[in-house]
Amino acid sequence: MNLQQELNKTSGFKNLALLASQVVEGYISGMHKSPFHGFSAEFAEHKIYNPGESTRHIDWKLYAKTDKLYTKRFDEETNLRCHLIVDNSPSMHYPLIKDFSLTSLNKIAYSSLACAAIMNVLKKQRDAVGLSIYSDSYEYYAPEKGSDRHHNMLLDILGKTCVQQPSGSGTDTYKYLHEIAEKIKRRSLIFLFTDMFQGDTHENELFEALRHLKYNKHDVVLFHTFDSTTELNFDFPNTPSRFVDVETGDHINLYADNIKEDYKKAIQEYFSRLRVRCGQNRIKYMPVDIKKSFDVVLTTFLLERQLFK
């Protein structure tokens, strides 16, 4: 799928800036607050002058008023460092689609297109972007860079990820999040795209890994992708059907209506628990229904981030 071509069909979010809600740390001049202080256009505070310090930034006008020496401190502006993490397990390739387009996306295609859109916004801001892709192995890693060549390389990787058949047979998200946390040395904005389908025994391990990222001062956003028609509402024909786990191969034969209400109750409780646990760990939780308009979901997130940073 040509991600850039599909993005050109979108509207609404192109001119919105992706603003970091935490202090960020980077190399180049940008639009985000730095934890470091130096000389720039934006004044931060006065500091009492200590003998032996440089006299370069002494505020002589304030000295004339107070007869005391103070130096000016300024906030540096820096770039945002962003790392995109994409779950490429077999369940993310649901539902199976032959011809992808902006109005016909499965979970992996939706996630890849969202990554590409975020990358375009960051490119305009001269911010650095990195990418990790995993399934039952750590399939791809690229550190954060801001060059056009790097941007095009990541677009190509994401486009290929959509159309290639997944080679994995399971998902150990928590394992690779720990690895990624060790790789990313500087404070960054982390986007995780996953459908959160995993064994019950791994839920605690997953949030331990997310806390690892938070402990390292990263700003973490979880994009929880799902198909509301079948995965949330279990809307299947009430005929004898075989339901197959695409990751383990396990299957069960049943009539959909026989378990529909129990399934919906269980999945809604699971979604609510995810939202609460993300809130407890100060992780931004974004439910992403792939049946909804791509423009609406991403614009909502970017507007919220811009207005409530």
Side-chain angles (χ1 to χ4, degrees), residues 125-142:
Q125 298 176 185
R126 297 186 298 144
D127 293 327
V129 184
L131 175 66
S132 288
I133 300 175
Y134 70 90
S135 56
D136 61 349
S137 63
Y138 201 156
E139 298 179 357
Y140 182 80
Y141 169 76

Side-chain angles (χ1 to χ4, degrees), residues 1-3 88 93 100 108-109 112 131 133 139-140 152-166:
M1 181 170 67
N2 189 320
L3 297 178
N88 190 35
H93 288 256
F100 294 102
I108 189 65
S112 297
L131 175 66
I133 300 175
E139 298 179 357
Y140 182 80
N152 292 332
M153 180 184 71
L154 296 190
L155 282 179
D156 183 60
I157 292 295
L158 288 168
K160 290 178 179 177
T161 300
C162 297
V163 297
Q164 289 177 346
Q165 289 296 319

Side-chain angles (χ1 to χ4, degrees), residues 6 10 18 34 69 98 131 167 180 191 197 217 220 222 232 237 254 270 272 281-282 306:
E6 295 302 319
T10 64
L18 182 65
S34 169
L69 291 174
K98 292 183 178 180
L131 175 66
S167 58
I180 293 167
F191 289 101
F197 284 146
K217 309 298 183 183
V220 182
L222 170 60
L232 185 60
L254 49 79
Y270 177 57
S272 296
N281 290 283
R282 300 184 66 186
Q306 179 162 323

Side-chain angles (χ1 to χ4, degrees), residues 45-270:
E45 62 181 351
H46 281 105
K47 174 180 174 292
I48 295 177
Y49 173 77
N50 294 314
E53 292 182 345
S54 171
T55 59
R56 180 180 178 185
H57 300 311
I58 289 179
D59 189 335
W60 295 109
K61 290 183 178 180
L62 188 60
Y63 172 73
K65 294 179 181 179
T66 64
D67 201 30
K68 294 182 179 179
L69 291 174
Y70 292 91
T71 58
K72 293 181 178 179
R73 296 183 69 194
F74 299 84
D75 277 330
E76 289 182 340
E77 296 290 315
T78 185
N79 69 302
L80 170 67
R81 300 175 64 86
C82 176
H83 199 86
L84 305 168
I85 308 173
V86 179
D87 177 358
N88 190 35
S89 60
S91 64
M92 286 289 286
H93 288 256
Y94 176 86
L96 294 176
I97 294 176
K98 292 183 178 180
D99 298 316
F100 294 102
S101 68
L102 190 61
T103 56
S104 180
L105 300 169
N106 59 10
K107 290 184 286 186
I108 189 65
Y110 202 109
S111 299
S112 297
L113 195 60
C115 286
I118 292 170
M119 284 167 51
N120 277 2
V121 175
L122 293 171
K123 183 180 179 182
K124 292 180 180 179
Q125 298 176 185
R126 297 186 298 144
D127 293 327
V129 184
L131 175 66
S132 288
I133 300 175
Y134 70 90
S135 56
D136 61 349
S137 63
Y138 201 156
E139 298 179 357
Y140 182 80
Y141 169 76
E144 298 78 21
K145 295 181 181 179
S147 68
D148 288 343
R149 180 180 179 183
H150 182 74
H151 178 89
N152 292 332
M153 180 184 71
L154 296 190
L155 282 179
D156 183 60
I157 292 295
L158 288 168
K160 290 178 179 177
T161 300
C162 297
V163 297
Q164 289 177 346
Q165 289 296 319
S167 58
S169 59
T171 315
D172 288 332
T173 300
Y174 68 94
K175 176 181 177 181
Y176 303 110
L177 289 184
H178 281 302
E179 288 189 32
I180 293 167
E182 293 300 323
K183 284 179 176 289
I184 304 175
K185 302 300 183 182
R186 290 178 175 269
R187 196 176 300 178
S188 305
L189 174 60
I190 309 291
F191 289 101
L192 171 60
F193 293 85
T194 177
D195 56 10
M196 297 297 288
F197 284 146
Q198 59 195 341
D200 292 339
T201 57
H202 291 167
E203 184 178 328
N204 289 332
E205 285 89 343
L206 172 60
F207 278 95
E208 282 295 330
L210 290 171
R211 279 194 288 270
H212 188 176
L213 290 168
K214 291 296 294 184
Y215 178 80
N216 290 350
K217 309 298 183 183
H218 300 305
D219 190 359
V220 182
V221 182
L222 170 60
F223 278 89
H224 179 196
T225 60
F226 60 91
D227 183 325
S228 61
T229 301
T230 55
E231 294 180 334
L232 185 60
N233 298 320
F234 208 68
D235 189 7
F236 291 100
N238 190 35
T239 58
S241 304
R242 170 169 289 189
F243 295 87
V244 181
D245 186 326
V246 295
E247 296 191 359
T248 65
D250 294 340
H251 66 272
I252 184 172
N253 299 319
L254 49 79
Y255 286 88
D257 283 3
N258 289 348
I259 67 164
K260 186 173 184 177
E261 292 305 317
D262 289 339
Y263 174 88
K264 289 174 64 176
K265 180 180 179 181
I267 200 70
Q268 287 168 1
E269 288 176 353
Y270 177 57

